[in-house]
Amino acid sequence: NGLRVLLVSDPDAEQCAAALDVHVGYFSDPEGLPGLAHFCEHMLFLGSKQFPQENSLDAYMTSSTGFSNAFTDSEDTCFFFSCSAEALSGALERFSAFFVAPLFTEGATEREVNAINSEHLKNLQSDGFRVNQVVSSRSNPAHPNSHFGTGTIKTLLETPKARGIDLRGALLKHFQTFYRAPLMTL
């Protein structure tokens, strides 16, 4: 199916980890929806057809001395976890379900946009984030480096609604376009 995989195995390891990089980031956000790639990253944690409970992976990780997280960068979105060796099979099952059949429920949309907005407000205190914003603002507007990648309530809810843009529809299109095996590395 075109998925690139790097496997490192140690049968004596007590902890296991996995990461999946999707080779798409905020440079690929559609016009009028800055932060969509980051929003997709957040929404993937909120249930799948196989594991419909929100944060199923996080709950499993907590009970298995593990953790999970993700980040969205300019050209990549990376999801990762670490857990005990005994929990690896269940963790991989839940993790892979993100990418097979996510729910992207309407009910989680506004709440998750609020979480993204809070993340943005926290980032405003970071010197590194501010430097990136200055670089972005000085970039050629026709180049994706000028894009704002985090997203806010304004960029993901208010402005799209005023323009008649269906956020969930755009999210589904983004997922269907970019979350494919040839664009992923495990």
Side-chain angles (χ1 to χ4, degrees), residues 87-186:
L88 181 61
S89 179
L92 284 170
E93 207 177 355
R94 286 161 180 78
F95 187 68
S96 64
F98 279 19
F99 310 105
V100 175
L103 295 180
F104 295 140
T105 61
E106 289 279 353
T109 298
E110 189 169 337
R111 186 181 53 221
E112 221 38 51
V113 170
N114 282 318
I116 287 169
N117 196 70
S118 293
E119 187 176 332
H120 170 67
L121 294 174
K122 174 190 62 82
N123 288 345
L124 293 176
Q125 306 308 310
S126 161
D127 289 339
F129 181 81
R130 289 191 291 228
V131 167
N132 285 340
Q133 289 304 105
V134 169
V135 170
S136 291
S137 71
R138 301 296 303 150
S139 295
N140 179 341
H143 190 278
N145 196 55
S146 67
H147 291 187
F148 170 64
T150 307
T152 63
I153 290 172
K154 182 174 181 175
T155 67
L156 291 168
L157 285 181
E158 294 170 358
T159 301
K161 184 177 181 179
R163 293 182 178 167
I165 297 171
D166 173 26
L167 178 59
R168 186 169 185 274
L171 174 64
L172 292 170
K173 182 178 179 184
H174 176 84
F175 180 81
Q176 291 163 353
T177 301
F178 297 113
Y179 280 68
R180 301 179 292 116
L183 297 176
M184 298 176 167
T185 301
L186 179 64

Side-chain angles (χ1 to χ4, degrees), residues 38-109:
H38 186 213
F39 178 60
C40 183
E41 169 215 310
H42 275 244
M43 291 294 286
L44 283 166
F45 280 88
L46 300 180
S48 65
K49 185 175 180 181
Q50 187 176 0
F51 298 97
Q53 179 185 353
E54 287 188 14
N55 299 308
S56 171
L57 179 64
D58 286 338
Y60 185 81
M61 290 299 158
T62 300
S63 69
S64 307
T65 65
F67 72 93
S68 63
N69 208 339
F71 63 88
T72 301
D73 205 351
S74 57
E75 298 182 282
D76 294 276
T77 303
C78 186
F79 301 82
F80 54 93
F81 72 84
S82 176
C83 64
S84 65
E86 299 79 29
L88 181 61
S89 179
L92 284 170
E93 207 177 355
R94 286 161 180 78
F95 187 68
S96 64
F98 279 19
F99 310 105
V100 175
L103 295 180
F104 295 140
T105 61
E106 289 279 353
T109 298

